[in-house]
Amino acid sequence: MNWLETFPGENWQQRWEASPAATDSPDWKAKLQKWALTIGRRPSVAVIDAGVLSLICADAIRPHLAWFNHKRSRFLRPALESRDPEGFEYLAAAITEESRDTREVFDALKAAAEIVASYGGGVRDITVGDILARLESLRGRRSGRGVRIVYSVLRDNGHFPPNAPSTLINVVNRSGQVSPAELVDGYRLTCKPIRDVIVAYLVERQPTLDYASLRALSSTLAGTFWADLERHHPGIDSLLLTPETSAAWKARLATKTVRKRGPDGVIAEVTESRRSAPSIKMSVRAFYLDIAQWALEEPAKWGRWAVPSPISEAECSVKKAYQQQKSRSSQRTRERLPVLPSLVRAAERRLKEAKARLDALRSTPLGCTFAVLGETFTAPLMTRRSERQPNLARDTTGKLRNLGTEEKRAFWSWATIEILRHTGIRIEELQELGHHSIISYKLPTTGEVIPLLQVAPSKTDQERLLIINPELADVLSTVVSRVRGKSGAVPMVQSYDYHERVWNAPMPLLYQWSVGGENRSVSANTIRKSINETLEYSGLTDNSGRPLKFHPHDFRRMFITDAILNGLAPHIAQVIAGHSNINTTMGYAAIYPADAIEAHRAFISRRRALRPAEEYRAVTAEEWQEFLGHFERRKLAMGDCGRAFGTDCSHEHACVRCPVLIVHPTERPRLVEIRDNLIARIAEAEREGWLGEIEGLQVSLTGAEDKLAQLDAQQNRRQQAVDLGMPTFSQAVGRNL
């Protein structure tokens, strides 16, 4: 304090800020020690640190937040607790209730102490701005895990305003929805009258569009259309385009320049045709035609902008583009559908290997070397997580690998592939699956429970219910077991809707994981990367020999194609997929005869035209009993039939061949007997020369072997143990008995 008095200021804080200690210069302590010799004192560095800590605790000085990045004193938190013991006790109790471990509690309390030391007050006086300022001061230096935990605890307990951000993840990048004017201003248009008319047009269309469509329309009109015209035709200020200007814009629109990596690994700019050109022209033409129509109703507002459209109706034809898109999609499906079983096996194998590595690491003493799956690793000498096993290990090349993260990504890749291939849902629907999405329906007559998966409305705003088969049930139960908290419940997390730029209400989402002590939803980008990592692990290649790539939507196309090829009626596939138009469903089917499609559609049209009007009525009790009787008649010798209600058996009750037969595990001996009998009959047919008999028997044998493989895979998953964890001593003594 005597040293601080040598600096100007009316109080201790001003003197502190005028001193070199406030900026944490490297030699400020040496300067203090040199000055202390003039008054006959020789303070050590420890004494100086203790003096600074005393002034902070007495609230005489308040260092800025960045100052604490260099002062990692373990005495700061205990010292600050003496100023606000009730606040720190409340914060520690709230964090412990959320099942945090000791390290996370320590980080959170230390972060709260640093904020209190810098801004004064107590724990309950911390504001959202204080939290954001601390995160900003930590950027690029230290992890903000403790700060995020403090924020989530105070927010969940009502200490922040209701409009406080739901999470601190990328707060700046996820700013929410913006107005049409802000969308247009992002393209920096020079002509203000044209800018104003585009904004007015978007405002007029906004009530009938979702936010994603509004952003796409603003990008088309303000960016692709008018900004391009201003860039190539400076000074343009009228929507009435000359034929030369219009033709030049259409020529530029037809192609685009992209950066691609060649086979040699070199990135080069490549010019290719723009597939979205017809849809862009359609939006621009609609812009001109809408203004012309509105000019008749509001001539004062729109009359001066009503000019002929530079784009004709013929130029907006999307028939050719649709055919090209259908051809590309069908080719992707034809390439990927045959290798889907290989991808499934690779995902299972990758997950088992990742678990084996992690289990071997956690069973190895710190600092020791261990070998697993032909690889050698070295466990770390120490771990900062006192109540967790280490996740990091070094391989023989010296590379530090996070085996915990590898296991986590392998698990979510396996779960994603399994769920998508069994349901055909969209990726946004996958991310919105919650614990409450798994429901059941009990037949009133037999008491049989039918598990159902409730798919939330997404693209077409249609809610769907899908029957959960045994394999999908195993996957969902494994996911639920993994994401359960220590309390036994699935934590409530908020997900961010990237398309609508809004935060959804907290839900017990299945796709969540813990990052830095905070439960977060798994992003779509992470899902895509995890699938590609499994593909890279599998070594699958396309027809050109390059690594095969899967998009989440490819599983949807394969699901619909496989269902229709196996005899499922297209209109039923339409309901399962959640399409509003059967043409969309048929566009997903990659391999399906065109004449069969047209014949079936014509049959549906004739049947609907001839259907009596009295059929459009409420379901009678007899009809409902017939519907329930369908599920009662599903019982077969080897299990259950999964055929949809009202459909005939496409395999003429040859159940061994049918893909919708759900074989019960207890009927495995019967299935083995059928397989052996088929093998014997094929051998007899080959011996006797019954060539016509061999083909049919071979199809039945393939179906029997496939069902045996499914039963074995299901049994192996059920026999795997699930680690439920062991309660710690601190948790045991903290219970109220």
Side-chain angles (χ1 to χ4, degrees):
M1 293 177 69
N2 290 337
W3 179 67
L4 288 179
E5 285 183 334
T6 62
F7 298 96
E10 299 180 357
N11 51 45
W12 293 112
Q13 180 65 23
Q14 294 179 359
R15 299 186 185 103
W16 167 264
E17 293 176 352
S19 70
T23 59
D24 197 30
S25 61
D27 57 345
W28 76 269
K29 293 180 182 179
K31 294 180 180 179
L32 191 154
Q33 291 174 326
K34 183 178 180 180
W35 177 88
L37 293 175
T38 61
I39 60 173
R41 304 290 296 273
R42 296 179 180 272
S44 63
V45 174
V47 171
I48 296 175
D49 291 338
V52 173
L53 183 60
S54 301
L55 292 178
I56 294 175
C57 295
D59 204 16
I61 61 174
R62 295 178 180 178
H64 54 80
L65 290 172
W67 189 84
F68 293 102
N69 294 339
H70 309 280
K71 297 295 180 182
R72 302 184 181 182
S73 174
R74 60 190 178 93
F75 301 107
L76 178 65
R77 178 186 57 81
L80 265 293
E81 287 181 356
S82 62
R83 283 175 47 182
D84 185 19
E86 295 181 358
F88 280 93
E89 290 178 3
Y90 160 78
L91 183 60
I95 296 174
T96 306
E97 288 178 359
E98 296 185 2
S99 303
R100 311 279 186 178
D101 65 13
T102 303
R103 184 66 192 181
E104 292 170 347
V105 175
F106 175 82
D107 290 343
L109 293 178
K110 184 176 181 181
E114 292 170 347
I115 294 175
V116 169
S118 183
Y119 291 105
V123 172
R124 291 182 174 86
D125 298 320
I126 296 177
T127 65
V128 177
D130 299 340
I131 297 288
L132 295 177
R134 185 55 181 146
L135 278 180
E136 181 66 23
S137 65
L138 291 174
R139 180 172 297 181
R141 293 179 176 269
R142 290 165 52 189
S143 170
R145 177 178 61 180
V147 185
R148 291 188 172 92
I149 295 176
V150 173
Y151 179 84
S152 63
V153 170
L154 294 180
R155 181 203 61 203
D156 295 341
N157 288 275
H159 290 278
F160 294 153
N163 60 347
S166 57
T167 181
L168 295 180
I169 308 171
N170 299 333
V171 174
V172 178
N173 296 332
R174 300 182 179 181
S175 56
Q177 298 183 358
V178 297
S179 65
E182 292 174 303
L183 289 173
V184 174
D185 290 340
Y187 298 97
R188 301 179 181 180
L189 302 183
T190 305
C191 183
K192 189 176 185 304
I194 300 297
R195 175 262 181 199
D196 294 339
V197 74
I198 294 177
V199 171
Y201 177 79
L202 294 177
V203 171
E204 194 78 19
R205 293 286 310 276
Q206 188 174 10
T208 60
L209 299 175
D210 55 37
Y211 187 70
S213 301
L214 183 68
R215 287 193 303 114
L217 185 58
S218 67
S219 174
T220 297
L221 298 179
T224 309
F225 178 57
W226 194 255
D228 181 83
L229 289 175
E230 289 187 342
R231 186 163 53 251
H232 293 86
H233 306 278
I236 187 171
D237 58 357
S238 174
L239 291 178
L240 183 60
L241 305 182
T242 63
E244 295 77 11
T245 302
S246 175
W249 176 76
K250 295 173 187 176
R252 293 191 299 270
L253 180 66
T255 60
K256 64 178 180 179
T257 302
V258 297
R259 294 169 58 86
K260 286 189 175 181
R261 186 182 300 275
D264 54 355
V266 179
I267 299 178
E269 293 186 351
V270 180
T271 300
E272 60 182 23
S273 60
R274 192 190 301 268
R275 298 173 182 174
S276 59
S279 61
I280 293 175
K281 293 178 182 178
M282 186 180 300
S283 298
V284 175
R285 176 176 170 80
F287 171 67
Y288 277 86
L289 296 183
D290 286 342
I291 290 179
Q293 179 65 32
W294 297 344
L296 299 176
E297 303 171 0
E298 300 180 72
K301 180 177 181 180
W302 303 102
R304 58 175 295 202
W305 304 109
V307 296
S309 172
I311 301 172
S312 64
E313 183 178 359
E315 293 176 304
C316 298
S317 176
V318 296
K319 181 178 180 180
K320 184 177 180 180
Y322 173 78
Q323 292 175 346
Q324 294 174 348
Q325 174 63 31
K326 177 65 171 63
S327 177
R328 290 191 298 268
S329 300
S330 298
Q331 180 62 26
R332 287 184 63 90
T333 304
R334 284 191 290 266
E335 285 184 353
R336 286 154 181 77
L337 187 57
V339 301
L340 181 58
S342 300
L343 178 61
V344 172
R345 291 191 295 268
E348 294 179 353
R349 185 169 63 253
R350 180 188 176 211
L351 177 58
K352 290 180 181 179
E353 293 178 358
K355 285 183 177 179
R357 295 189 191 95
L358 185 60
D359 293 341
L361 169 63
R362 292 181 172 176
S363 61
T364 301
L366 298 180
C368 297
T369 301
F370 63 96
V372 57
L373 300 175
E375 297 178 290
T376 303
F377 297 91
T378 302
L381 292 175
M382 59 185 301
T383 174
R384 295 177 56 190
R385 302 179 178 182
S386 57
E387 294 189 9
R388 294 183 183 180
Q389 295 293 339
N391 292 330
L392 301 177
R394 293 190 181 276
D395 56 17
T396 53
T397 63
K399 180 181 178 181
L400 188 64
R401 292 172 56 179
N402 193 324
L403 301 185
T405 300
E406 291 181 6
E407 189 274 339
K408 184 190 301 185
R409 298 182 74 91
F411 173 83
W412 288 113
S413 175
W414 167 79
T416 299
I417 293 173
E418 290 291 332
I419 295 176
L420 290 181
R421 79 181 183 95
H422 284 298
T423 61
I425 59 178
R426 304 177 179 91
I427 185 172
E428 57 267 22
E429 296 169 342
L430 176 71
Q431 291 180 276
E432 294 179 0
L433 287 181
H435 197 191
H436 298 160
S437 300
I438 306 173
I439 60 178
S440 61
Y441 175 73
K442 186 176 182 180
L443 293 177
T445 54
T446 62
E448 180 184 358
V449 177
I450 302 175
L452 301 174
L453 183 65
Q454 184 179 18
V455 181
S458 60
K459 187 175 182 179
T460 58
D461 292 333
Q462 293 182 0
E463 186 181 51
R464 314 195 302 279
L465 291 175
L466 305 178
I467 296 180
I468 301 177
N469 58 35
E471 290 186 357
L472 179 59
D474 289 343
V475 176
L476 293 176
S477 63
T478 305
V479 173
V480 171
S481 301
R482 185 182 183 93
V483 300
R484 284 187 191 272
K486 296 181 181 179
S487 62
V490 177
M492 304 283 287
V493 297
Q494 289 186 304
S495 60
Y496 183 74
D497 191 333
Y498 178 80
H499 299 286
E500 293 300 314
R501 296 292 197 271
V502 294
W503 287 96
N504 298 320
M507 293 179 58
L509 298 178
L510 297 184
Y511 268 67
Q512 61 170 284
W513 54 14
S514 178
V515 180
E518 181 181 14
N519 291 324
R520 305 179 186 175
S521 61
V522 182
S523 66
N525 190 37
T526 300
I527 294 175
R528 294 187 180 95
K529 285 184 177 180
S530 64
I531 295 177
N532 289 331
E533 289 171 358
T534 301
L535 282 165
E536 183 179 356
Y537 169 84
S538 66
L540 296 173
T541 58
D542 57 15
N543 295 333
S544 62
R546 289 180 293 186
L548 193 64
K549 297 293 183 182
F550 268 72
H551 297 312
H553 217 69
D554 290 328
F555 293 93
R556 182 172 174 83
R557 296 189 181 95
M558 290 187 293
F559 174 82
I560 297 175
T561 300
D562 187 61
I564 293 180
L565 288 178
N566 283 281
L568 186 67
H571 65 282
I572 297 178
Q574 173 193 352
V575 176
I576 294 176
H579 290 148
S580 58
N581 192 330
I582 195 173
N583 294 323
T584 305
T585 306
M586 300 316 303
Y588 276 66
I591 312 171
Y592 200 75
D595 53 345
I597 297 175
E598 297 301 329
H600 186 271
R601 293 177 60 186
F603 167 73
I604 293 296
S605 300
R606 292 193 302 269
R607 188 178 66 177
R608 289 177 178 175
L610 299 175
R611 182 177 298 163
E614 57 268 16
E615 290 190 7
Y616 296 94
R617 50 174 173 75
V619 179
T620 64
E622 292 77 10
E623 292 171 336
W624 181 246
Q625 290 300 325
E626 181 183 356
F627 174 75
L628 297 179
H630 162 76
F631 294 97
E632 297 174 359
R633 292 191 296 271
R634 295 194 314 167
K635 296 296 183 181
L636 302 174
M638 289 187 295
D640 296 329
C641 177
R643 187 173 71 251
F645 173 73
T647 59
D648 297 329
C649 180
S650 61
H651 293 85
E652 298 181 356
H653 302 284
C655 299
V656 175
R657 303 181 180 183
C658 185
V660 297
L661 172 63
I662 304 175
V663 182
H664 196 273
T666 58
E667 300 300 328
R668 191 182 189 282
R670 183 192 298 271
L671 191 58
V672 172
E673 182 180 353
I674 293 175
R675 182 199 60 185
D676 296 341
N677 180 264
L678 288 171
I679 294 175
R681 291 178 61 187
I682 292 174
E684 180 185 3
E686 292 176 347
R687 186 170 59 253
E688 299 295 336
W690 301 334
L691 301 182
E693 189 83 7
I694 294 176
E695 184 177 357
L697 293 174
Q698 190 64 44
V699 174
S700 299
L701 177 61
T702 302
E705 291 178 344
D706 182 61
K707 289 174 176 54
L708 281 173
Q710 294 177 6
L711 283 178
D712 293 340
Q714 178 182 352
Q715 187 66 21
N716 291 335
R717 284 196 298 270
R718 289 182 174 178
Q719 291 177 352
Q720 292 179 356
V722 178
D723 184 14
L724 300 179
M726 180 65 67
T728 61
F729 178 76
S730 60
Q731 295 169 342
V733 300
R735 295 180 179 270
N736 294 323
L737 302 178

